[in-house]
Amino acid sequence: MIVIPMFFINMLLTKIILKPLNPFFREINHKGEVSYDFLGRQGRMKSTIQGTKTGMLEVFVGKDPMILMVRSKDGEVINHGTMVYVVDEDKENRIYYVAEEIRF
């Protein structure tokens, strides 16, 4: 019988204690991270890929480095440290396709 009243008292105390922090919580991005369009961006390979092997690509957005999971667009070998372009994406699997040069 003591647990139920204590629960409500603790809820009230928590609300009172956290009330001054409301402006801080409003500043936090509650809608998630900003989405970036990576198509056409240039980055440096962090691993060697070939065929359907998945590797990592480092892309800079501003001064912030981001790591993307990538595959070779044509299945060709792309070595570690090579500068490549993001040419396509698979939204379902969250994988980007890269090539050493953009072909039109």
Side-chain angles (χ1 to χ4, degrees):
M1 291 201 303
I2 295 176
V3 174
I4 294 174
M6 291 302 292
F7 174 75
F8 289 109
I9 291 171
N10 285 331
M11 292 291 287
L12 180 64
L13 284 174
T14 302
K15 180 177 174 133
I16 293 169
I17 291 170
L18 293 178
K19 186 81 170 171
L21 297 176
N22 279 345
F24 173 73
F25 290 132
R26 274 190 223 112
E27 294 297 321
I28 295 175
N29 187 4
H30 59 68
K31 295 179 183 171
E33 295 180 0
V34 177
S35 64
Y36 296 103
D37 185 21
F38 294 109
L39 291 179
R41 290 190 186 255
Q42 185 178 24
R44 183 177 305 277
M45 290 298 301
K46 290 296 190 181
S47 58
T48 300
I49 58 175
Q50 168 182 350
T52 59
K53 182 179 176 187
T54 303
M56 294 185 300
L57 174 71
E58 181 180 44
V59 177
F60 283 91
V61 176
K63 293 183 179 180
D64 300 324
M66 295 190 174
I67 302 294
L68 304 176
M69 300 306 291
V70 297
R71 288 184 183 157
S72 176
K73 178 68 175 173
D74 301 325
E76 60 190 25
V77 176
I78 301 177
N79 293 315
H80 174 272
T82 305
M83 295 299 287
V84 296
Y85 293 95
V86 178
V87 295
D88 199 6
E89 68 178 310
D90 182 357
K91 290 183 181 183
E92 184 178 309
N93 295 326
R94 300 171 74 187
I95 293 176
Y96 293 89
Y97 292 94
V98 296
E100 290 189 48
E101 58 185 39
I102 297 176
R103 297 182 188 122
F104 295 104

